[in-house]
Amino acid sequence: MKKINILYTFAFLCILTMPCTKSYAAAASKNIYNSRFQKRSASFIRDKRGGEKRLRYYPERFKVTGLFKEGVTIVDVGAGNGVITQKLVEAHGKDNVYAVEPDPKHLSALTEILDADHIFSMTLQDAYESGLTDVDAMFMSKYNVPLPQKEDFWNTVVQMLNKEGTVQLTSVERERLFKTKGMESLYLRDTLERHFEKVSATLGVRILDESGREVGLYDKAKLIKPKK
């Protein structure tokens, strides 16, 4: 009798766990995630169940110190709610930092960090047409430009920078630098080389893991072996 009860208990537990596993797999296939498994990047890691979940995006872990020279003008591209903008202000001063963020819901948060004339609540292309030019440096903490706008976006970046300008892109998406089957649309290396190979402006791309540790580095047109 005891053995039968154990078997019934085991069968009941299996029935309970099957729907969860199935629904989780369905969510993964459709790129649908709840608050626990937030859709933050295209890089996958294994969860405790053996399934896959996307890497979470933690801008507060991104480091900005030492990336730019003192006294340069820095544009936080895709500033969001200003987490990185605040870090840049602390490192380089309020007068040297600008923010570009097209989503109006973040405007109030950015106005608490920067003066209104340092905030461009529009796309980068529109900011360029509005007079944001001759930029010393740009920081991008997460690249999420729609695919149809990719070429226009990077063309604008190059035009906005001065001859000695520099761009630093930080991402948790390894697929930006390393070709991954099924995620070719995320691959940026060819685009970056095409836009930066004939200009003097410099480019750096850092790939971070979920803890903020650097696992890959791209410098200008050279791909440096990922750090272990």
Side-chain angles (χ1 to χ4, degrees):
M1 179 65 71
K2 187 175 181 180
K3 289 183 178 180
I4 294 175
N5 288 336
I6 292 174
L7 289 174
Y8 276 128
T9 302
F10 178 77
F12 178 73
L13 290 174
C14 288
I15 293 171
L16 285 179
T17 56
M18 283 176 65
C20 295
T21 304
K22 184 178 180 180
S23 62
Y24 180 82
S29 66
K30 296 179 181 179
N31 289 338
I32 299 173
Y33 299 86
N34 57 28
S35 59
R36 183 182 177 189
F37 301 113
Q38 298 180 49
K39 182 180 177 183
R40 293 294 192 183
S41 81
S43 296
F44 288 93
I45 58 174
R46 293 285 178 180
D47 66 10
K48 292 181 180 179
R49 294 184 185 178
E52 289 182 331
K53 73 181 183 74
R54 290 176 179 256
L55 281 174
R56 296 193 181 193
Y57 171 62
Y58 296 104
E60 64 274 10
R61 296 180 180 176
F62 290 3
K63 298 177 181 179
V64 301
T65 55
L67 291 179
F68 307 111
K69 298 178 181 179
E70 293 184 7
V72 299
T73 299
I74 306 171
V75 178
D76 185 9
V77 181
N81 61 5
V83 174
I84 297 297
T85 309
Q86 182 62 49
K87 288 188 174 188
L88 291 170
V89 167
E90 293 172 358
H92 297 276
K94 187 176 181 180
D95 294 336
N96 294 325
V97 179
Y98 291 80
V100 175
E101 173 52 56
D103 193 336
K105 73 180 181 183
H106 296 303
L107 184 59
S108 60
L110 291 172
T111 53
E112 295 181 5
I113 303 170
L114 297 173
D115 294 333
D117 60 345
H118 279 227
I119 301 172
F120 290 79
S121 185
M122 58 189 71
T123 65
L124 189 69
Q125 293 90 323
D126 289 339
Y128 173 68
E129 293 178 0
S130 298
L132 187 58
T133 59
D134 197 29
V135 172
D136 295 319
M138 292 185 188
F139 187 88
M140 304 176 193
S141 58
K142 190 179 191 319
Y143 177 85
N144 57 0
V145 176
L147 187 60
Q149 301 175 21
K150 181 172 68 172
E151 294 298 328
D152 186 32
F153 175 84
W154 285 106
N155 184 53
T156 302
V157 168
V158 172
Q159 289 179 329
M160 288 181 71
L161 291 168
N162 59 37
K163 292 182 179 180
E164 303 301 323
T166 183
V167 178
Q168 290 292 331
L169 168 63
T170 300
S171 176
V172 294
E173 298 165 327
R174 292 177 59 89
E175 296 83 4
R176 296 297 182 191
L177 295 187
F178 307 99
K179 286 186 177 180
T180 305
K181 187 176 180 180
M183 297 184 182
E184 291 82 2
S185 63
L186 296 178
Y187 188 62
L188 271 181
R189 186 181 174 189
D190 291 345
T191 301
L192 297 177
E193 289 181 351
R194 185 167 58 256
H195 285 280
F196 282 85
E197 65 181 356
K198 295 182 180 180
V199 297
S200 57
T202 59
L203 168 72
V205 183
R206 295 183 302 160
I207 304 297
L208 307 182
D209 63 12
E210 195 171 29
S211 67
R213 182 176 63 92
E214 189 175 275
V215 294
L217 178 66
Y218 174 99
D219 185 13
K220 190 69 173 180
K222 296 179 180 178
L223 183 62
I224 300 174
K225 187 176 182 181
K227 295 183 178 181
K228 295 182 179 180

